[in-house]
């Protein structure tokens, strides 16, 4: 089965925090791709490249490029909390339009595309 979730991270700092919080979803095989949308610092650019994160000039370009059946939009500097994959799996199985994932810093929604 193809991983169902496309992650789009809003540029603006804190990329390391966001990427660290995605490990759980990668281990579960839930994440199809990760995109970084917008202008980034040289440090975030190097981190994104090293992590294999795709980059888009802006949010609109990232949204056009994603291929997953589900979208998780992560505001800059926001980390998903431990256990977020359990909520995501429940959302995937529930057949609804989306759900709120546990996160620190801002609300993070997972939405069916």
């Amino acid at each position: 089965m193809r991983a169902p979730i496309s992650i789009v991270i809003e540029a603006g700092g804190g990329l390391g925090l966001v990427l660290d919080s995605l490990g759980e979803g990668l281990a579960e095989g839930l994440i199809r791709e990760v995109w970084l949308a917008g202008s980034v610092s040289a440090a975030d650019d190097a981190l994104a490249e090293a992590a294999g994160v795709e980059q888009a000039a802006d949010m609109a370009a990232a949204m056009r490029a994603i291929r997953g059946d589900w979208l998780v939009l992560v505001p800059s500097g926001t980390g998903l909390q431990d256990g977020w994959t359990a909520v995501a799996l429940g959302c995937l199985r529930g057949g609804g339009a989306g759900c709120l994932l546990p996160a620190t810093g801002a609300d993070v929604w997972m939405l069916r595309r």
Side-chain angles (χ1 to χ4, degrees), residues 21-75:
S21 73
L22 297 181
E24 187 178 321
L26 292 168
E28 292 284 335
L30 295 175
I31 298 175
R32 178 181 176 120
E33 62 195 336
V34 179
W35 284 84
L36 180 59
S39 296
V40 297
S41 66
D44 278 353
D45 181 56
L47 180 57
E49 187 172 326
V53 174
E54 302 287 343
Q55 295 188 51
D58 55 32
M59 191 62 68
M63 298 302 277
R64 285 190 302 271
I66 60 174
R67 299 178 312 268
D69 295 330
W70 290 81
L71 165 67
V72 174
L73 177 58
V74 184

